[in-house]
Amino acid sequence: GPPADWASSLHVVNPGTQPAHVGLTIYRLRSAPTRSAVEVAPGQLYSIDLARRRDVPRGEPFWVAVDADRPVFPQIVHQTFRPWDIVPEGIAVVPPQAAPLDDSHTSWIYPDAFQGGTARWLEQETITLLNPSPHGGDARLVFQFRDGRPTRTHTVALAPQR
């Protein structure tokens, strides 16, 4: 039959020669974060079906933070489906960030390279921000446009651990 309306998976590669002890913290809007751990064998890919995990919320945004005792490469893939189609309608691949982050990590650039469409094309963009700190903060988003429109800036309040 057709798939659920969404699928999400976390993939962790351990490129090293020793096992990696990997911690997963799942953040959500409406409750405290949860934490779990896995071990990834040397030179292996470990995949987790997030849609099947009970600690992953349904119907609200969530974020996954990965930490490990040695270098690993994590990647999340999120897919949305129409009820009648097994081909994903949308795919989001989250670019991993180097960690640990400190006060020098204050700017990231996410280019949108969309080049097509028609006058009837409707595109909706989403950016999600996670504040794993126990303290609240603000993020300043700057939008720049290729067509000459003025730059727009928007400030977003970030709740702690949300």
Side-chain angles (χ1 to χ4, degrees):
D5 60 344
W6 67 278
S8 199
S9 54
L10 170 66
H11 308 278
V12 180
V13 174
N14 176 4
T17 58
Q18 299 294 320
H21 300 95
V22 178
L24 308 173
T25 305
I26 298 176
Y27 294 89
R28 57 188 54 82
L29 289 176
R30 297 184 181 105
S31 59
T34 57
R35 186 148 171 82
S36 61
V38 298
E39 183 174 292
V40 181
Q44 296 297 306
L45 166 69
Y46 188 93
S47 296
I48 300 168
D49 183 350
L50 295 173
R52 294 185 186 272
R53 289 181 62 109
R54 291 184 180 180
D55 56 347
V56 172
R58 305 298 187 264
E60 70 174 275
F62 66 92
W63 299 262
V64 178
V66 175
D67 61 82
D69 63 349
R70 60 190 65 255
V72 295
F73 184 80
Q75 184 77 62
I76 285 186
V77 178
H78 184 80
Q79 302 173 62
T80 56
F81 295 90
R82 294 178 182 174
W84 61 87
D85 200 347
I86 61 170
V87 177
E89 178 181 31
I91 297 177
V93 180
V94 180
Q97 297 294 327
L101 300 179
D102 59 28
D103 290 342
S104 68
H105 295 89
T106 59
S107 299
W108 293 271
I109 298 173
Y110 293 100
D112 178 5
F114 177 71
Q115 296 289 325
T118 66
R120 297 183 333 177
W121 181 266
L122 173 63
E123 183 174 356
Q124 295 178 330
E125 302 286 340
T126 303
I127 185 168
T128 58
L129 304 170
L130 167 65
N131 178 12
S133 166
H135 308 287
D138 291 327
R140 185 171 60 102
L141 306 177
V142 179
F143 300 91
Q144 296 179 329
F145 304 97
R146 286 185 287 237
D147 63 4
R149 287 181 283 165
T151 299
R152 297 176 104 180
T153 302
H154 184 72
T155 301
V156 177
L158 301 174
Q161 294 188 324
R162 301 286 188 270

